[in-house]
Amino acid sequence: MKAKVRILDMYSGRYSVFINEKEAKKAKLHPDDLVKIEAGKKTVYGSVVISSLIKEGEVGVSKDILQLHSFSEGELVTVLPSGAPESVRYIKKKMRGEKLRKVEIETIVKDIVDRKLRDIEISSFVTSLEINGLDMDEIAALTIAMAETGDMLDIDRKPIMDVHSIGGVPGNKTNILVVPIVAAAGLTIPKTSSRAITSAAGTADVVEVFAEVSFSLDEIKRIVEKIGACMVWGGALNLAPADDITIKSERALSIDPTGLMLASIMSKKYAMGSQYVLIDIPTGKGVKVETVDAARALARDFIELGKRLGQYVEGAITYGGQPIGHTVGPALEAREALSALMTGTGPGSLIEKATGLAGVLLEMGGVAPAGMGKKMAREILESGKAYQKMREIIEEQGGNPDIKPEEIPVGDKTYTFTAPTSGYITGIDNRAITGIARAAGAPEDKGAGLELYVKVGEKVKEGDPLFTIHAESEARLDQAIVFARRTEPIRIEGMVLQRIGNI
């Protein structure tokens, strides 16, 4: 059918094409059918929505569709039914537990990016990976396909280093120290980060408190070739675009297939041209990887995948049993990270982890002798060189390099929880801490989160402060208080844990 484009001021979240009911009947189109819109040499795919708001002779396109092609109001286009693509057959193959060939994986990824696959088909693919998994041949093929269907960055400043945490630990602002330390040593480290998915703050959320994080690839290339580093949001770039689509299904289903996680992380590193990659694998109760054996196995997978991509990869198994530092939430974490860079000191967990990871990167990049990387990283931090590099990064990314930690606003609606009894801190629940910060409004409300006053092993007296919740509204504060009271974020016990009688 021929129709005139009508641009709708809305995001459907599913690349919708709106068609009048009478014309849908004539064309034998049904809700959620896949159709293609042809405009000259350009073809765009979308899912049918039947609507009485659209007149005969019109086709309504949502703003999602406009991201694929810039249609103009009243433009004449052809709308045609599109049968199920070949990739659906390959998804069914993986659902049966069979191994996919490289060309089949490439076809699936291309159809995801071109939106030939609908959300339900993408969710089926993600679920099949959760249930049946991928072997290393499939993971390597998936990684390269995800990278090559997007943009690739070529930086004329080698070697290119990178660091990535698989996440799970609240307050993990570590890379905000690692990046300037590594760059101050003369290495190149273009850091792309994500926003929070299930956590209270991603690195991009924290950096955004004092600098811009959305840049084009050309802008990133200019910044990095000038100062050797950046800390930007990967979602603003067309890097491995299939990853940004599949992650929506992962979030909706609350699953994170290991093979897809490996491909997701490494496709972005491959697209950025990273030559040396350090993977931080937090391990402990309440994080993604709970045992050291599982962490070692995951590290080996990353290393093997790196070899197939021509990248040198190392894994660092780090302690993930409690939050890093004393703050959780974008503005609070920004304050703590900036203070550590300015003074060269800070919470032991933050300084130890940051200098430890930075030290590994300095050794990988050849600027520190084996075994001396951490010492060199600490010297760079304590000398103020890392802070000076951070000032350069903030300035190049459009922020105020003179900003002080106390100038960063945090939520002024607060409530402090105190120790109900005397004893020792025997546990801090990562998931509960994250849940409290999110209930308070983090990461969307930058000033929301919490400050921790205790760590595992410390002695407290009844009435001592344990943590303070920060929120930007009373309603959010009340939600966080209720959440905290329903959980047990901090466990306090005496030295005698349990008495067993003689039966």
Side-chain angles (χ1 to χ4, degrees), residues 23-39:
E23 294 203 311
K25 278 183 181 176
K26 271 191 239 172
K28 292 185 169 53
L29 292 173
H30 305 94
D32 289 328
D33 278 358
L34 187 69
V35 293
K36 54 184 177 181
I37 304 174
E38 294 181 347

Side-chain angles (χ1 to χ4, degrees), residues 82-132:
S82 177
E86 185 71 6
S87 53
V88 170
R89 192 161 61 86
Y90 305 147
I91 292 170
K92 289 178 180 176
K93 182 178 175 182
K94 176 48 71 175
M95 289 170 74
R96 293 192 298 269
E98 298 175 38
K99 180 172 177 172
L100 296 177
R101 294 183 296 126
K102 181 172 180 284
V103 67
E104 292 170 339
I105 290 171
E106 288 170 347
T107 303
I108 291 171
V109 172
K110 187 175 187 309
D111 285 354
I112 288 172
V113 173
D114 290 344
R115 297 305 311 194
K116 287 185 183 179
L117 288 170
R118 293 165 296 180
D119 290 345
I120 192 167
E121 290 155 346
I122 295 169
S123 295
S124 298
F125 177 57
V126 170
T127 304
S128 74
L129 302 188
E130 173 74 7
I131 295 169
N132 295 315

Side-chain angles (χ1 to χ4, degrees), residues 187-201:
L187 296 173
T188 303
I189 181 161
K191 180 78 183 88
T192 62
S193 304
S194 62
R195 296 191 186 279
I197 300 171
T198 56
S199 69

